[in-house]
Amino acid sequence: MQLSEHFSYEELTYTDHRIFDNTPTDAELSNLVRLAEFLEVVRLVLDDRAVLINSAYRSKAVNDAVGSKDTSQHRTGCAADIRVPGMTPDEVVKAIRSADLEYDQVIREHDRWTHISIPAEGVAPRKTALIIDKIGTRAYV
C-alpha cells in the first residue's frame, strides 16, 4: 500500500526482526502517512533524490530488540532513519536545516544515516539538530 507517491507502508514498517509483529495502530498509521508526506518534501529539498528508509515505525517489541528507548519517535510512526545515495548524512542534515522544514529532530547518527522526525499531531516542531556518535550526543552546530 502506498502512503505517498514514493513511500509505501511496507518500507515504513519493514524490520529485520521478523519474529516480532510490527503492525501499527490506526493512530500510528496516521502518523506514518504524515511522515511519508513529509519525506516527499525532504526528497524535493534534496533535488528529488531517492530517500532510502533504514527504519521507520517500530513496535515495542522491535524497538526493544534494537535497543532503543521507549520514548523513541519511531514508536509512534513519527521518525525514519534514512540514507540518500550520493549524499553524506552531514550533507542531508545541512540541506534539511537550510530548507527550514518543519521537522522535530534531525540527527546525524554515527555518520552512517540521518534520523528525521516530525512532531506529534498538533505539536509545534522543536527543530532540534543533533549528532550522535561514539563520542556521545551533542548539538549540531
Side-chain angles (χ1 to χ4, degrees), residues 9 21 27 35 38 44 49 58 61 70 73 87 100 109 116 119 126 140:
Y9 172 88
D21 181 22
L35 179 63
F38 180 77
L44 292 175
R49 292 177 186 255
R58 297 183 197 143
D70 280 337
Q73 289 176 296
M87 293 184 78
D100 198 31
E109 291 196 47
I116 183 83
R126 294 178 289 177
Y140 187 102

Side-chain angles (χ1 to χ4, degrees), residues 1 5 23 26-27 32-33 40 47 64-65 67 77 86 90 103 109-110 112 140:
M1 160 182 29
E5 182 179 357
T23 305
D26 288 345
L32 282 174
V33 170
E40 295 291 351
D47 296 324
D64 289 350
D90 197 52
Y103 65 88
E109 291 196 47
H110 307 284
R112 294 179 47 217
Y140 187 102

Side-chain angles (χ1 to χ4, degrees), residues 57-119:
Y57 173 73
R58 297 183 197 143
S59 67
K60 176 156 178 43
V62 170
N63 202 57
D64 289 350
V66 300
S68 190
K69 297 177 182 175
D70 280 337
T71 56
S72 169
Q73 289 176 296
H74 289 276
R75 287 280 298 110
T76 60
C78 288
D81 295 336
I82 63 172
R83 289 174 292 112
V84 179
M87 293 184 78
T88 67
D90 197 52
E91 291 169 329
V92 173
V93 170
K94 286 177 181 176
I96 289 169
R97 291 180 75 198
S98 294
D100 198 31
L101 298 180
E102 294 295 306
Y103 65 88
D104 195 54
Q105 289 188 313
V106 62
I107 306 171
R108 188 185 81 199
E109 291 196 47
H110 307 284
D111 235 357
R112 294 179 47 217
W113 66 85
T114 305
H115 169 99
I116 183 83
S117 67
I118 57 173

Side-chain angles (χ1 to χ4, degrees), residues 13-33:
T13 60
Y14 177 81
T15 178
D16 285 334
H17 300 280
R18 294 182 197 119
I19 61 170
F20 301 117
D21 181 22
N22 202 43
T23 305
T25 65
D26 288 345
E28 293 159 347
L29 180 56
S30 177
N31 286 337
L32 282 174
V33 170

